[in-house]
Amino acid sequence: MSRIDETAEFIAVRIAVLTVSDTRSLAEDRSGDVLVGRIAEAGHVLADRKILPDERAEIAEQLRIWCDDPAIDVVISTGGTGLTGRDVTVEAHRDVYEKEIDAFGTVFTIVSMQKIGTSAVQSRATGGVRNGTYLFALPGSPGACKDAWDEILLRQLDFRHRPCNFVEILPRLDENQRRK
């Protein structure tokens, strides 16, 4: 069963937050604020924060920039994961991924089902890895950001979480590139 190993030392990770929206400014970014607050509360470091419009190429470029920055371990985006024509965040993430974390979307759907029932089917939350950096795309609602953080990311981004977590394998994510 899932647990926190209190004998292990906590390791803070550096997280960038990207809000994807054609209409929000930093002052109106409630979903980004939820993530920033939870990142700080958990003891992690906010490495950067931006808002970009729903433009696939711009989103993908920002994700690449952050993935190439050794001072960033994780990127979390919020917004643009729905089904409308302007929702292109998932496609931008997939343009960048080297590997997709398929179960992230599945687990997010399970968590969402408990909160919003069958409306969870409309989410396309996704996760992946590029250049030793984790990337997660969350829906744009504050509730979805709370659910993803509280039920998945809080534990998986805690080195003390057992039986396993994302942080313990972070140093090995790009081992294929180092062997060349």
Side-chain angles (χ1 to χ4, degrees):
M1 193 67 188
S2 173
R3 65 180 176 82
I4 296 293
D5 178 357
E6 298 293 344
T7 66
E9 184 177 336
F10 177 81
I11 298 173
V13 293
R14 299 157 301 186
I15 304 172
V17 174
L18 174 64
T19 298
V20 177
S21 175
D22 287 332
T23 59
R24 289 188 201 148
S25 68
L26 218 55
E28 303 156 328
D29 183 15
R30 291 182 27 233
S31 297
D33 289 345
V34 164
L35 291 170
V36 167
R38 280 171 162 68
I39 288 165
E41 185 178 304
H44 297 299
V45 176
L46 179 65
D48 202 355
R49 181 180 182 183
K50 292 192 182 315
I51 296 181
L52 289 178
D54 293 276
E55 296 294 338
R56 183 174 177 171
E58 287 184 51
I59 297 164
E61 180 59 21
Q62 184 59 60
L63 297 175
R64 286 185 191 99
I65 288 168
W66 279 337
C67 288
D68 290 343
D69 184 341
I72 295 175
D73 303 308
V74 178
V75 175
I76 303 173
S77 69
T78 175
T81 63
L83 301 172
T84 70
R86 294 288 294 155
D87 291 325
V88 296
T89 302
V90 173
E91 289 74 19
H93 269 252
R94 289 184 174 144
D95 290 345
V96 172
Y97 291 163
E98 293 166 352
K99 294 183 180 184
E100 190 159 359
I101 306 170
D102 297 316
F104 179 80
T106 303
V107 172
F108 180 79
T109 301
I110 292 167
V111 167
S112 294
M113 283 283 299
Q114 296 169 359
K115 310 283 174 123
I116 61 172
T118 60
S119 294
V121 76
Q122 293 187 34
S123 171
R124 298 186 306 138
T126 184
V129 176
R130 178 191 173 93
N131 197 28
T133 304
Y134 289 109
L135 299 111
F136 302 100
L138 309 179
S141 75
C145 290
K146 289 175 188 174
D147 293 344
W149 182 270
D150 296 349
E151 303 297 329
I152 305 168
L153 295 174
L154 176 66
R155 292 174 185 86
Q156 282 299 300
L157 295 177
D158 189 333
F159 178 76
R160 304 167 303 163
H161 182 264
R162 301 292 179 255
C164 59
N165 60 76
F166 288 141
V167 179
E168 67 188 351
I169 60 172
L170 189 58
R172 295 179 38 222
L173 291 180
D174 63 352
E175 65 189 359
N176 63 320
Q177 296 169 2
R178 290 179 296 193
R179 288 189 193 145
K180 295 179 182 177

